[in-house]
Amino acid sequence: MASTAPIGVFDSGLGGISVARQIHRDMPHEHILYFGDSANAPYGTKTPQEVRTLSSAIVERFMARGVKAVVIACNTATSAAVNQLRDQYSIPIIGMEPALKVACDRGHGNPQRIIVAATPLTLREKKFSALMSRFESSHVIFREPCPDLVEIVEHGQLDDRDLIMETLHRYFDHYDLATIDSIVLGCTHFVFFRSYFERLAPSSTAIIDGNEGTAHHLEVVLESWGKLAPAHATGRVDLSNSDTSERMTRLARSLLTA
Ligand code: DGL
């Protein structure tokens, strides 16, 4: 497969656009095919088997377009489907998981108090329990499922400050945020709320997402395969969505440039 082949990036909907945006910034020569499955969103309240079936169908579509790698820009689909997809396909499949390690490392050996905000499915799955078990003996880690935040993005309500702050207060008011070192945004939809989280939490609380780490990991993997796009190539992001309405097309485009 040529190094000029595209990279497939997908999510249950619009959240993964935050990842595609990051990859495009960091790897401007790459051609990215983004697919959002908004007609089937949210994934975070589905069963793992449902998410596996939907994810396989998307990767099959990417394979037909000749992609050189796939990024699962969705923590939920990664927890449910990454193992199966890696067994099924021989190209690199890059997954995402909540950036808990980054949050723990910030303590430089001191115990950290961390909230992981993600979808109910991500927080319930074995993959996350395995991640927790690496860190929970040295740190205090809280799991906070926030499914309504996904709906706010999918409904194009990111400018509705009152709705968003009311939703964040509902999920986070039972914590004393002054005692929390980091909030991990363990769902790619939540990255669009960064400024709202910064308003909610004191400045001493770090807001952490895994997007830069994922873009970097993709770059390292492609480099080791000798598949990085050549420096003369002009990269771009092509957006598509299972919801083909004009509203969704406009919303996706505005998030890519947000
Ligand atoms: N964006 C997805 C994630 O990173 C999930 C959103 C959903 O529930 O569909 O987990």
Side-chain angles (χ1 to χ4, degrees), residues 11-12 42-44 73-76 119 122 150 186-189:
D11 178 42
S12 61
Y43 281 8
C74 177
N75 296 260
T76 308
T119 68
T122 297
V150 176
C187 168
T188 53
H189 282 74

Side-chain angles (χ1 to χ4, degrees), residues 10-16 19 34 37 40-46 72-79 96 118-122 146-147 150-151 154 185-190:
F10 79 93
D11 178 42
S12 61
L14 299 167
V19 183
Y34 182 82
D37 197 9
N40 293 303
Y43 281 8
T45 49
K46 290 189 164 45
I72 310 176
C74 177
N75 296 260
T76 308
T78 301
S79 2
M96 291 187 76
T119 68
L121 182 56
T122 297
C146 308
V150 176
E151 303 288 356
E154 293 296 318
L185 307 180
C187 168
T188 53
H189 282 74
F190 300 175

